[in-house]
Amino acid sequence: LAKTTQPISMDSYEGQEVNITCSHNNIATNDYITWYQQFPSQGPRFIIQGYKTKVTNEVASLFIPADRKSSTLSLPRVSLSDTAVYYCLVEEGILTGGGNKLTFGTGTQLKVEL
Amino acid sequence: DAGITQSPRHKVTETGTPVTLRCHQTENHRYMYWYRQDPGHGLRLIHYSYGVKDTDKGEVSDGYSVSRSKTEDFLLTLESATSSQTSVYFCAISRDFEEPQHFGDGTRLSIL
């Protein structure tokens, strides 16, 4: 089972780029890394997913180095509404049934100020 | 938002009583998950299902059982609730494993 580590908290200001890193050992070649955002009293919400190099969508980028021992979520030009807890998730296993493992990081509280 | 409904949303009960939480989906997704969320621990997987009557244990499955008799419903049962099971419980669904998960709004369970 992969062990994931994230910084507990980060502070930023509006308009800045924020990079949150998740460290994960024992990750296999085809294991996916997914990032979620969570606001208070709500369930987590999907942000981005990938398993190698770089993925970009309309809200974020995900960088995964060749050794895959970490991944970095990049949020361009954050705003106050990006204040939330961010979780990385490593999904290990096969697609067709049981025996799969999922490990969430403990989350990073991002606080964005004016 | 994905069609996921958790019930009840809040529950207070006593130690030793049985508790069942329900997750209902309208998306026809194959995978369903139950997580618990506690301060300092993030989200931890309790059980998941990969089809009707097909379930598997997660990281923290002791004291919990699940059932999935039809695609849309996934039940989590605490046979004899303990105070250590006080937590916020989230249900999630995904089209397949390693597909993005969509979460419900959570059930806040307090066991006195």
Side-chain angles (χ1 to χ4, degrees):
Chain A
L1 195 63
K3 179 176 172 57
T4 58
T5 305
Q6 299 179 233
I8 293 174
S9 64
M10 296 183 70
D11 294 328
S12 184
Y13 294 95
E14 276 203 317
Q16 291 190 330
E17 179 184 75
V18 171
N19 296 310
I20 305 174
T21 297
C22 176
S23 299
H24 27 73
N25 59 7
N26 297 325
I27 185 171
T29 305
N30 59 343
D31 291 343
Y32 274 79
I33 298 151
T34 313
W35 283 82
Y36 292 85
Q37 175 192 55
Q38 186 178 28
F39 297 111
S41 301
Q42 295 184 20
R45 187 173 67 178
F46 170 78
I47 302 174
I48 197 166
Q49 182 184 63
Y51 73 100
K52 64 178 180 179
T53 61
K54 178 182 175 182
V55 178
T56 298
N57 62 21
E58 62 276 9
V59 299
S61 295
L62 176 59
F63 300 92
I64 303 170
D67 66 8
R68 290 168 47 80
K69 292 185 177 181
S70 67
S71 61
T72 298
L73 172 71
S74 181
L75 303 172
R77 299 179 298 282
V78 294
S79 65
L80 294 175
S81 63
D82 292 317
T83 294
V85 179
Y86 293 82
Y87 292 95
C88 64
L89 167 66
V90 174
E91 298 177 77
E92 310 165 70
I94 56 176
L95 294 176
T96 59
N100 302 309
K101 307 297 180 187
L102 299 95
T103 306
F104 269 94
T106 51
T108 299
Q109 172 67 63
L110 172 64
K111 182 179 179 182
V112 180
E113 299 176 288
L114 288 172
Chain B
D1 287 346
I4 309 169
T5 304
Q6 291 187 233
S7 59
R9 293 295 315 282
H10 303 271
K11 187 174 181 67
V12 180
T13 190
E14 295 183 346
T15 300
T17 59
V19 177
T20 295
L21 308 182
R22 179 180 183 240
C23 179
H24 178 78
Q25 60 146 330
T26 58
E27 305 295 322
N28 199 36
H29 282 358
R30 179 184 176 200
Y31 275 73
M32 298 185 76
Y33 312 81
W34 276 109
Y35 294 91
R36 61 177 292 174
Q37 185 170 42
D38 306 287
H41 291 279
L43 289 143
R44 292 181 291 174
L45 181 67
I46 304 172
H47 284 279
Y48 70 96
S49 169
Y50 49 97
V52 174
K53 292 188 169 59
D54 292 323
T55 65
D56 200 1
K57 295 180 180 180
E59 179 187 357
V60 290
S61 60
D62 287 348
Y64 301 95
S65 63
V66 290
S67 66
R68 191 171 178 197
S69 59
K70 46 187 178 178
T71 300
E72 57 266 36
D73 289 326
F74 192 33
L75 304 180
L76 176 71
T77 298
L78 292 66
E79 300 289 349
S80 178
T82 68
S83 59
S84 65
Q85 293 175 311
T86 291
S87 186
V88 179
Y89 291 85
F90 286 100
C91 172
I93 64 173
S94 66
R95 201 185 316 271
D96 209 333
F97 190 67
E98 294 182 335
E99 292 275 341
Q101 294 181 33
H102 302 281
F103 286 77
D105 291 328
T107 294
R108 187 172 297 276
L109 178 63
S110 297
I111 300 164
L112 307 178

